[in-house]
Amino acid sequence: MNAWKASLILLIGSLAVTFLMWYWGLPFFFLFLFVPLLPFLGRKKSIRRCPACGWETSGNERYCPYDATPLETGEQGKRSS
């Protein structure tokens, strides 16, 4: 199931729970509205690795902070090994 279908199903479910909580008078009924966004939060991050020292990051760095070697992505590292 792709993220859009899962998000649509979760949206319908969270709207139902939100309506029921509002109907019963429970506070914070709107907190369930974030549930449809959960499939989009678990996206895979690109891990960059220094080929010289092995330092890894998922940030925006392009060069290793220890030895200034250009970082390679996880896919490049797997192909070259």
Side-chain angles (χ1 to χ4, degrees):
M1 178 181 301
N2 64 18
W4 288 104
K5 288 181 183 178
S7 181
L8 183 61
I9 292 169
L10 289 172
L11 175 65
I12 293 167
S14 68
L15 287 175
V17 169
T18 300
F19 176 76
L20 288 174
M21 290 185 76
W22 173 79
Y23 182 74
W24 291 329
L26 297 174
F28 306 114
F29 59 87
F30 53 86
L31 290 178
F32 287 94
L33 292 177
F34 80 94
V35 173
L37 301 176
L38 291 177
F40 298 106
L41 296 177
R43 293 193 175 177
K44 295 179 182 178
K45 294 183 179 180
S46 174
I47 296 177
R48 296 182 177 267
R49 182 182 179 106
C50 177
C53 68
W55 182 79
E56 293 182 349
T57 183
S58 60
N60 295 335
E61 297 90 351
R62 294 180 65 194
Y63 297 95
C64 178
Y66 298 110
D67 54 17
T69 304
L71 300 176
E72 55 187 27
T73 62
E75 293 175 3
Q76 290 173 346
K78 290 178 184 174
R79 279 188 247 147
S80 64
S81 298

